[in-house]
Every structure is written in structure tokens, then in C-alpha cells.
Amino acid sequence: MSDPVITAAAHQVLTALTSDKVPVVKTFFDRATFTATHVVHDPATRAAAVIDSVMEYDPAAGRTGHHLAQEIVDYVRGHDLKLEWLLETHVHADHLSAAPWIQEQLGGKLAIGADIVRVQDIFGKLFNAGTRFARDGSQFDHLFHDGETFMLGSIPAIALHVPGHTPADMAYVIGDAAFIGDTLFMPDYGTARADFPGGDARALYRSIRRLLSLPARTRLFLCHDYKAPGRDTFAWETTVGAEREHNVHVHDGVGEDEFVAMRTGRDATLSMPGLLMPSVQVNMRGGHLPEAEENGTRYIKIPIDRV
């Protein structure tokens, strides 16, 4: 089959990009979860977005923290930025979102893809979240649909639905920069797994090819890096051109069936992320902890012996 392509609306946005519409990106890397949080802003208007923030969580002690989030708040304030968006690329399974805490400090609208409702339905049942847990995405201020355009100050942007890792993954193209969540890693590391509930390796391939139909010069900002063998430093920025030429899993010439066989076989060897249970329960609620029980304490559930 031919490569999936970017929608006409996306092409209109990309056509509008010029050299003076290049956003500034500052990345904060959390080594405990290997997560890159990106703060992107328009240098002309100071409008900013925080993408995929991290709240620290110690599962042994049941303690949360906001040290990295505080660094982000300090950066936004120190550079006189106006936070307009807190963007989540998906319901993360490896870290807890700090978006609500940052929102309390700086304002802005919390947003995710509209298919969050599918993820909430899947995991609401898995964790027996009960009727008080809304499965309509209402924990977020805005639900982006595929191809929906928006502005970050004077810079045009678009949200693209890129399912596969989860059903609800979104990428945000802001000027010449694309924030692609857990779809691709650095070229020497490959691609994201697709074996979580609702994941689909074939959908992931098509989403990746869709992203790789962006112009070769497009900067790609990734959500994670685990340092490929032989590389000593963490990295989270690459380009469409570099991924098309060098990605070890999905470079140009790798077909869909070949990728699906590789991804499915590789996923079967992977263990579940250590923070899967707390992360999903919090992130499906928009980064909010579960409601306190009668004794005033909040709890994270762990299903036992569930097939």
C-alpha cells in the first residue's frame, strides 16, 4: 500500500511555515523515567506550551514530587513566557503527568487527543474505576481531533492522530517542530512498542509513515530516550530526514508486514514498565490522583492475577 499522507489541512499549515516562524524549544529530561518534557514557545509573542510533563513518583514509599515540574515553572516565569497549552501526546504508561500541578502555577489549557475516551474505557474497566470515573475526556480542557489546527502565538500548529502505541496517541506539529510522543525514538534505537491494551503494530507503522511524510527538514522531538548501545549521551531531537534514512526499525524501504513481524516479535520479549499501574491510573484522569477514600487517603490499585 502507499504511504499514509498528511491531510490537506496539515499541508496548509506546513506551507505557511517560514524561517521567522521557528519555535524555541527547551527540553527537561527526567533520567528516572527517561522522559523528555518539551517547553516550546513563540519568540515573537512569548506564547508557550508544555508537552508531556513529569511528576516524580516513588512506588516503594507512595510519594509524589514536583522538582522537575518546578524547574519548568521557573523556566517559564524566568523567560517571561505565557503558558497557553499543556499538551499530552497520550496516556503515558511510564511516568505520571505533572500537568495539573503546572496548570495551577501557570494557567493554560490541558489537552489530549479525542480518542482518550477509548483509553479511559479500556483502563476504567481494568482498574474497576467505578461510576465516579468519567470516561468522556472531561478531565481535560480540550480534546484535539485529527487535523485540528491551532496557533501558538503567531506560529501555526496542527494536531495529528498517530495511533498504534496506544489508540489515542497525538503528534503536535508547531511550526517546523513536531512533538511525536511515543511513536519513534532516535534513529539508532527504533520505534515504540505496540503491545499495550488497544495498541496495534500495523496502525503504528502507518502512523509513523504518516509522520515521515512531513518535510525532511522537520525537527522531531521525542518523548523518551534510552541510549542505544554504543551511544553515551541521551538525545531527544532528530529530523524526518534522519529517521527516514537511518531508523533501525522503519527506515525507507521497510514494508508494513516486515515491520509488524519485527515489532510483534520484539514486544513479546519486553517486560511491562515499572510504573505502568500508577501511571495509567493517574494519566487517564488527566494527571489527577484517584479520589481520596473515606479515610482521606488516595490509593493506587494493582490488579492481581488478571489474564
Side-chain angles (χ1 to χ4, degrees):
M1 61 176 290
S2 61
D3 285 353
V5 297
I6 298 298
T7 64
H11 278 302
Q12 292 175 3
V13 171
L14 294 167
T15 300
L17 299 180
T18 61
S19 59
D20 64 343
K21 299 294 185 183
V22 177
V24 175
V25 181
K26 169 69 173 178
T27 300
F28 296 80
F29 191 73
D30 179 49
R31 288 175 178 254
T33 62
F34 306 102
T35 303
T37 298
H38 307 292
V39 181
V40 53
H41 80 265
D42 173 16
T45 66
R46 317 305 291 174
V50 172
I51 303 173
D52 292 334
S53 60
V54 176
M55 176 173 66
E56 294 95 30
Y57 177 70
D58 180 349
R63 296 288 184 182
T64 61
H66 298 97
H67 297 92
L68 188 65
Q70 185 64 61
E71 290 184 30
I72 292 169
V73 169
D74 292 344
Y75 174 82
V76 171
R77 288 175 173 162
H79 288 77
D80 195 27
L81 305 182
K82 178 184 178 183
L83 188 62
E84 294 189 347
W85 291 101
L86 297 110
L87 302 175
E88 298 288 332
T89 56
H90 63 292
V91 170
H92 307 277
D94 40 32
H95 71 271
L96 283 66
S97 172
W101 188 87
I102 295 174
Q103 188 178 42
E104 288 179 1
Q105 318 304 313
L106 299 173
K109 292 189 291 186
L110 174 58
I112 200 168
D115 275 20
I116 178 64
V117 297
R118 292 182 57 193
V119 177
Q120 289 177 328
D121 183 61
I122 291 170
F123 286 105
K125 293 174 181 175
L126 175 63
F127 292 110
N128 195 31
T131 57
R132 291 194 297 175
F133 170 55
R135 293 162 170 81
D136 58 1
S138 58
Q139 299 87 347
F140 298 83
D141 300 311
H142 186 80
L143 302 182
F144 278 107
H145 294 272
D146 183 42
E148 183 176 345
T149 58
F150 61 107
M151 300 291 292
L152 186 68
S154 65
I155 299 179
I158 190 166
L160 300 174
H161 186 212
V162 286
H165 176 62
T166 79
D169 280 61
M170 298 296 289
Y172 303 99
V173 184
I174 303 173
D176 75 329
F179 302 86
I180 62 174
D182 289 12
T183 50
L184 290 163
F185 297 134
M186 292 298 290
D188 59 0
Y189 201 87
T191 58
R193 65 195 298 166
D195 61 331
F196 294 146
D200 185 314
R202 200 166 295 277
L204 178 61
Y205 177 86
R206 296 174 184 178
S207 292
I208 290 170
R209 295 311 309 180
R210 188 183 195 206
L211 289 171
L212 295 184
S213 72
L214 289 164
R217 65 180 175 84
T218 305
R219 294 183 290 162
L220 299 181
F221 290 90
L222 318 178
C223 189
H224 297 287
D225 185 54
Y226 304 98
K227 290 197 296 190
R231 175 157 55 85
D232 296 327
T233 58
F234 290 108
W236 45 76
E237 179 182 351
T238 182
T239 66
V240 165
E243 292 283 11
R244 292 190 68 140
E245 186 172 357
H246 299 297
N247 188 283
V248 294
H249 293 166
V250 72
H251 56 78
D252 285 355
V254 174
E256 183 174 316
D257 290 341
E258 179 184 358
F259 174 81
V260 170
M262 178 283 301
R263 189 68 265 169
T264 302
R266 184 178 176 86
D267 289 349
T269 70
L270 301 177
S271 58
M272 288 292 104
L275 293 182
L276 173 68
M277 296 298 176
S279 295
V280 171
Q281 289 177 75
V282 170
N283 296 336
M284 71 182 186
R285 292 176 165 88
H288 294 281
L289 295 170
E291 291 185 13
E293 298 191 7
E294 291 82 358
N295 62 355
T297 302
R298 303 173 188 271
Y299 293 91
I300 296 293
K301 291 183 177 181
I302 300 179
I304 304 298
D305 293 333
R306 180 182 172 91
V307 178

